[in-house]
Amino acid sequence: MYTLIKAPCISDDLYERVYDFCKKLLTLPKPYCTIGLDYAFRLKTERMTPGVLYQRMVISEQSLKNDPYPYQERVFLFADPYVLSKAVCNALVMDATAAQMYQNPRSCMCYVIIRAVQAALGEDCDVERLQRILQDKPTEEVEHCFRQVVAAVECTGQERNADRGQHAERMEKIYSMVLNSSAAGGSSPEELQGTPLPSPNISFHLWTDEDQLWKELALFVRPLSQPCEPDCLSQELDNFEIQDIVSDCDCCEQTRFSVLSTDSGIERDLPAASEELPSPSATEVEHARLQRKGGIKKRTFPLESMAFLQNSCNGPGAKNSEKLHRKSGSTAVPVPHLHRLYTARIVVLGDDRVLGQLAQAYYSLRKRETRCVFLTPRLNLQFYYIPVVEGQQGTWSTEDDTVPSQMELCKLAVYLGRADPWYESNINTLCHMIPKLATMILFSNAAQELAEDVFLTELSAKVQDCTAAKDHMQTKKKTMLEVPGADLVVRYRKVLLSDRKKEVAVTLRSTGLVMKAIPSNEAEDLMCLNVNITEVVKTSNLSGRLFASAANHIRTCNIRIESKEQRTFTLCLDKDFRRTYTNVVGMEVSPCPEPSYCLQKTMTTRFSLHEPESVGLARSIPKSLLLPINTFAGIIQ
């Protein structure tokens, strides 16, 4: 498709072959049939309106303002500063800056004009002459010609029964108008020439703040009207929900006055002709008509916010919500048809630790959107992951005196590689080359303070050393051996082969455990945790009683672990030492809930206490938060 977009002309035979190939994909299961349908539709549109795909790509990626196609796209590159060195970060910044150094809106507009005319007229277009004329024209005339070309192409692209001949006639008129506006001599048309495809707009960021993702997306959707200092940037972003989202009217703060009406509504009570007020002048009427009245914009209700969030859930757990159950005492809220004009492609560079930060930031963003919808109706989010391995500083070992290998820090990349061979051969092979360029948890501490966090790939827990006093230890007999670990109470839901769940509670002594969310093979469920508990087992031999370690394996979706002694845990999320919790006496792990589902469930129980758990919009919203990762084969949740 990228080759078809860049090619100046495609033969009818090649179009038919590619189109037939896309139609054959429709017989395959998802996601291949979905991809085939999407590209078949694009090919048909490009066939009837040559150059439309190139035009839309350049307009959206370069944010060229126009009315027929107001879509914008941007690539946000987030890098983990603990994985990528300063030299690598500088090299990436220089590469992204150099690609956009010689690009400007004027040159991109010229590219769109030349590409659209050449695609419609073919060899009848004199590309070199058209380039010279556009270069000599002032910017205002180039913008005018650009708007005419965009309007003509989009008009044909949106017609149901578009005629390629009519489109060629429209482009011929624009082409002749441009040539006639200049006195430059003509030349005989030569062979077709390719039009450069400008590099997309890429912004590079070092991921150092949890709210950094939301702030960058908010600035992309609604840029600040005036430049501000870095100190007041955060304050202005925090005021988005109050000033910019809830009220777009800048006269909302005006005083509202009440006027007492003396009109009874009866015709005989009207004043006589002599008592009528003099008619206002034309200037006063015009002034009254143009005067802006003070008003208050209607706030978005929670159910309307829920409809936006439900429409944005594209995971496999999402269901069709066309038929909504009407609850007693409430009215059904229609799901709005979203026209998101902004697309943000979030590219994350790092290992599993930065993906844990991505999951945490995405969960915070969804919670913020549940309280006050801002980004959801305006923005399309697409996540991409490029694994990077550099050094082993700052890693947290899951075993005693054991440092995880490089690929152990990229387990999600390995999983994506097994699901998508293209990702394995084109993305995973870069994890060692780039550096050469230069689910929910509750924990509590000794003060019983609850904390909430999200991990994506792995949770590791180790029992901390006992802090008993030395004098107490000296009173023990030398022959008595201290039993390692701590007594734990483990409660979980056991997953049976019949897909039924069984509540299990066991007590065992353990020194630590590891919970892995990424399955070891494709046959296992991605929503199931693999819990490996290191159990301490007593053994005896001729020299006395000893202790040995045994592996206890559990597969579950929900698990709760508490310590019966005064021994605490040290937790680490996604092998990231920056997300380490100490003095933890208990933990509860379950799939990370979707904030919009939680809000809808709360609203449902508020209306009736006897309704089923999932009614209304809640039936069409996935219960768990889904983090979509784009691959060549489609989105893998």
Side-chain angles (χ1 to χ4, degrees), residues 16-180:
E16 293 295 333
R17 288 161 54 192
V18 179
Y19 188 73
D20 292 341
F21 170 76
C22 292
K23 289 194 298 183
K24 292 179 180 179
L25 294 178
L26 299 178
T27 61
L28 301 178
K30 289 184 178 181
Y32 307 105
C33 61
T34 307
I35 297 174
L37 180 62
D38 179 39
Y39 285 118
F41 176 77
R42 295 190 187 186
L43 283 170
K44 188 175 181 180
T45 305
E46 177 69 18
R47 182 60 179 149
M48 300 307 301
T49 312
V52 64
L53 298 183
Y54 178 93
Q55 173 177 293
R56 292 177 177 178
M57 178 178 290
V58 175
I59 289 177
S60 59
E61 291 182 348
Q62 306 301 325
S63 300
L64 301 179
K65 295 182 179 180
N66 66 95
D67 294 332
Y69 195 78
Y71 295 90
Q72 298 183 23
E73 297 181 5
R74 183 175 298 176
V75 179
F76 296 86
L77 192 61
F78 284 89
D80 190 349
Y82 290 88
V83 177
L84 276 73
S85 63
K86 184 178 180 180
V88 175
C89 294
N90 293 335
L92 292 175
V93 172
M94 293 178 59
D95 185 66
T97 305
Q100 303 171 10
M101 183 177 300
Y102 301 102
Q103 294 180 188
N104 55 72
R106 176 188 170 90
S107 62
C108 294
M109 291 180 186
C110 294
Y111 290 154
V112 172
I113 297 172
I114 296 172
R115 181 66 173 83
V117 174
Q118 186 181 25
L121 304 182
E123 297 181 353
D124 295 334
C125 174
D126 189 350
V127 178
E128 294 185 356
R129 183 184 178 189
L130 182 60
Q131 289 177 347
R132 292 195 303 268
I133 295 176
L134 292 176
Q135 290 176 359
D136 297 336
K137 282 183 174 295
T139 305
E140 293 77 9
E141 296 185 12
V142 174
E143 291 179 355
H144 178 70
C145 182
F146 168 76
R147 289 192 293 267
Q148 287 184 323
V149 170
V150 173
V153 173
E154 290 298 327
C155 179
T156 307
Q158 296 176 4
E159 291 179 356
R160 180 167 300 180
N161 297 321
D163 186 3
R164 188 173 180 179
Q166 294 181 357
H167 174 69
E169 293 179 0
R170 295 172 182 171
M171 300 308 298
E172 174 67 28
K173 292 181 181 179
I174 299 176
Y175 176 65
S176 301
M177 180 191 65
V178 175
L179 297 184
N180 295 333

Side-chain angles (χ1 to χ4, degrees), residues 364-494:
S364 300
L365 185 147
R366 297 290 294 181
K367 289 181 65 176
R368 187 192 295 263
E369 289 293 296
T370 302
R371 294 191 299 266
C372 184
V373 175
F374 174 42
L375 296 176
T376 303
R378 299 172 172 87
L379 182 67
N380 263 322
L381 269 178
Q382 297 181 2
F383 294 108
Y384 300 87
Y385 170 48
I386 299 179
V388 178
V389 176
E390 182 180 23
Q392 296 295 333
Q393 296 181 357
T395 56
W396 192 84
S397 60
T398 57
E399 300 290 343
D400 293 339
D401 301 329
T402 302
V403 177
S405 63
Q406 293 182 347
M407 295 313 298
E408 286 183 356
L409 294 174
C410 297
K411 289 187 177 180
L412 184 58
V414 175
Y415 177 80
L416 295 176
R418 293 198 303 264
D420 183 5
W422 186 91
Y423 188 92
E424 174 66 25
S425 60
N426 293 273
I427 303 299
N428 282 345
T429 55
L430 299 176
C431 64
H432 298 283
M433 298 300 297
I434 293 179
K436 295 180 181 180
L437 295 175
T439 333
M440 173 180 291
I441 308 164
L442 296 176
F443 353 70
S444 59
N445 57 13
Q448 299 297 318
E449 296 179 358
L450 296 179
E452 175 183 318
D453 209 332
V454 179
F455 75 94
L456 184 67
T457 59
E458 182 176 303
L459 179 147
S460 302
K462 293 195 300 184
V463 177
Q464 296 181 358
D465 295 335
C466 183
T467 58
K470 294 182 179 180
D471 53 354
H472 177 71
M473 296 295 296
Q474 293 176 356
T475 59
K476 293 185 178 181
K477 296 182 180 180
K478 295 182 180 181
T479 56
M480 180 178 296
L481 295 176
E482 182 184 0
V483 181
D487 290 333
L488 307 179
V489 178
V490 181
R491 297 181 176 89
Y492 64 96
R493 292 182 181 179
K494 185 177 182 181

